[in-house]
Amino acid sequence: MSVAPAWAELAGQEAAVRQLSRAATMDSPTHAWLFTGPPGSGRSNAARAFAQALECEVEDPALRGCGLCHACLTVHAGTHADVKVMATENVTYKIDEIRELISLAQDRPSSGRWRIFIIEDADRMTERATNVLLKAIEEPPARTIWMLCAPSPADVLVTIRSRCRPVGLRIPSVQSVADLLVDRDGLDPALALFAARASQSHVGMARRLARDEGARQRREAVVHLPLRIQATSDAVALAKELVEVTQEEAKSSAEVRNVEEKAGLLRALGLGEDEKVPPKLRHHVKRLEDSQTARNKRSVHDTLDRAMIDLTGLFRDVLALQLGTGAELVNEHLRDDLGSYAHGATAERTVARIDAVATARRRLAGNVPPLLALEAMTMSFLPDRILDRRPGEQV
């Protein structure tokens, strides 16, 4: 299917592209949209592409989303005056943030056809914040369009989703993600295919794995973890190692960003990097530091959760080998090692290990200390010969 450039980055989402491109040609599209789909499916990218097509300056409706006009370029760059994207790396949105958006929504478009508001991770809105937004969606100002993004419709209050037009995105195929990395980023086809498969078709993670050798090495350390456990002491030590690796990765990725943000704030306040902050301006710095602390905490959680997803993929590979499904493996490059591992375990035990990883994810989401959650998980990775022995029996 030939599509306008705005839609080119939506790998494997042909049905959604058809739905949105048709809506972009209408004089009065629906005023509220709900984009749902699993992580990596491109919910935010779809909303941005739709905004690009809606604001496109091309006269022919069928060609909107050209990717070349001033409106398309500024929407893509995040600098269009009438397209506001709200994202949070905190646990939840603050109600004041939603109120600020609603206030902005009362303004008429300054240069484009529409005033567009995109709320990423709308599932992170508290009930109070959602109820504040509800009134704005029920009584929308003229020329205003709301776009909410969430993993599933159930993650948004029914009063909100009943007033939004749904756009469902799916997990793209491995090959479509690999093709996107090759066409968009000019990556080596073999590396792009490995990254697409290893990321389980998560577009953002695939791009990171393909471009960052350090990220590939850290992922390899995670998926080799079950293969290294031979005794209880290994399980305890490797749980600690996993916590330390993920915390270090989250910290290293945050440090540069935090320094740049603080330097930018100081410049905005008219201060040099080494200049002492006057008392009357300290609340600005304190607010930034509090925001960074909350984001750093969320980053550690997200990094650990990604490791859990990689481990789940590993055990699903093992189960596929045990059941002889013939399916392509997520970790195809480890087929020989996984074959040996699968031979020494039962399918029932592999299912139990997948359940143990899922339990660890729930515990981490419930603020159980990471080391405790991961130790309980890695103990289930002990070889079957140890887990099956009777108390007091020698291995």
Side-chain angles (χ1 to χ4, degrees):
M1 179 179 67
S2 177
V3 298
W7 314 107
E9 295 190 9
L10 299 182
Q13 307 295 347
E14 290 80 8
V17 168
R18 285 193 294 270
Q19 176 187 4
L20 295 171
S21 57
R22 281 196 303 268
T25 67
M26 298 177 180
D27 292 331
S28 298
T30 305
H31 73 281
W33 297 75
L34 177 59
F35 294 80
T36 60
S41 59
R43 300 183 301 261
S44 299
N45 286 342
R48 291 168 190 261
F50 187 32
Q52 196 171 325
L54 287 168
E55 300 287 16
C56 183
E57 297 165 357
V58 171
E59 291 296 330
D60 186 349
L63 300 178
R64 284 180 184 161
C66 69
L68 300 174
C69 68
H70 178 73
C72 280
L73 292 173
T74 52
V75 172
H76 186 268
T79 58
H80 194 288
D82 293 320
V83 179
K84 171 71 173 177
V85 179
M86 173 174 272
T88 184
E89 287 165 315
N90 298 327
V91 176
T92 60
Y93 282 104
K94 297 176 182 176
I95 193 168
D96 289 343
E97 294 174 316
I98 304 301
R99 284 178 173 149
E100 181 181 352
L101 276 192
I102 294 171
S103 177
L104 292 173
Q106 307 307 312
D107 299 335
R108 292 186 60 81
S110 60
S111 60
R113 282 192 292 268
W114 306 98
R115 197 92 161 98
I116 298 173
F117 296 89
I118 300 172
I119 302 180
E120 298 182 1
D121 299 315
D123 53 304
R124 294 190 189 181
M125 284 193 293
T126 63
E127 186 172 352
R128 278 187 67 208
T130 304
N131 287 331
V132 168
L133 179 63
L134 176 61
K135 187 169 180 60
I137 291 180
E138 285 180 326
E139 302 174 5
R143 315 302 294 176
T144 295
I145 295 177
W146 295 92
M147 302 182 192
L148 281 61
C149 307
S152 75
D155 292 316
V156 180
L157 287 182
V158 65
T159 48
I160 289 284
R161 67 174 183 262
S162 65
R163 290 162 174 80
C164 296
R165 185 171 175 181
V167 180
L169 302 175
R170 62 180 184 175
I171 297 176
S173 69
V174 168
Q175 191 59 55
S176 64
V177 174
D179 291 342
L180 175 63
L181 295 178
V182 172
D183 296 340
R184 181 185 66 183
D185 300 320
L187 297 173
D188 174 72
L191 179 57
L193 185 61
F194 163 80
R197 188 183 294 120
S199 68
Q200 300 178 56
S201 294
H202 187 299
V203 177
M205 186 56 63
R207 188 182 190 201
R208 184 180 177 201
L209 286 174
R211 301 181 67 177
D212 186 347
E213 184 178 356
R216 294 197 296 274
Q217 291 174 346
R218 286 187 289 269
R219 182 189 181 278
E220 287 301 293
V222 170
V223 296
H224 275 86
L225 187 149
L227 310 181
R228 296 164 54 192
I229 293 178
Q230 298 298 321
T232 301
S233 57
D234 295 334
V236 173
L238 291 174
K240 181 180 179 183
E241 179 183 324
L242 181 56
V243 172
E244 291 174 348
V245 167
T246 51
Q247 287 178 337
E248 185 60 32
E249 180 177 358
K251 179 182 177 182
S252 63
S253 63
E255 278 181 348
V256 174
R257 182 176 178 182
N258 289 349
V259 170
E260 290 176 348
E261 285 180 343
K262 187 171 183 179
L265 175 62
L266 293 176
R267 285 195 301 271
L269 295 175
L271 301 172
E273 291 187 19
D274 299 325
E275 191 174 346
K276 187 176 181 180
V277 180
K280 64 180 180 180
L281 298 178
R282 285 176 188 165
H283 69 282
H284 294 291
V285 177
K286 179 67 165 58
R287 184 165 55 187
L288 174 64
E289 290 174 345
D290 289 344
S291 175
Q292 289 176 341
T293 298
R295 186 177 67 203
N296 294 347
K297 181 179 178 181
R298 180 78 194 186
S299 179
V300 171
H301 174 272
D302 289 347
T303 305
L304 272 173
D305 192 62
R306 185 67 222 178
M308 302 296 101
I309 293 172
D310 289 333
L311 288 172
T312 300
L314 180 88
F315 286 119
R316 286 177 178 166
D317 286 347
V318 172
L319 188 61
L321 292 173
Q322 291 170 329
L323 299 178
T325 64
E328 186 178 45
L329 306 183
V330 171
N331 299 280
E332 191 67 39
H333 63 297
L334 297 178
R335 179 176 283 272
D336 291 342
D337 291 338
L338 295 182
S340 299
Y341 186 89
H343 184 71
T346 64
E348 292 79 9
R349 190 74 74 187
T350 301
V351 171
R353 287 167 179 144
I354 293 174
D355 289 342
V357 176
T359 299
R361 291 184 73 186
R362 288 195 299 272
R363 288 171 174 168
L364 289 169
N367 291 323
V368 171
L371 187 58
L372 291 179
L374 295 186
E375 282 181 352
M377 178 190 74
T378 55
M379 291 297 286
S380 73
F381 298 169
L382 287 167
D384 286 14
R385 69 178 188 278
I386 296 178
L387 293 173
D388 291 337
R389 72 184 183 187
R390 297 187 181 90
E393 181 182 349
Q394 297 295 315
V395 181

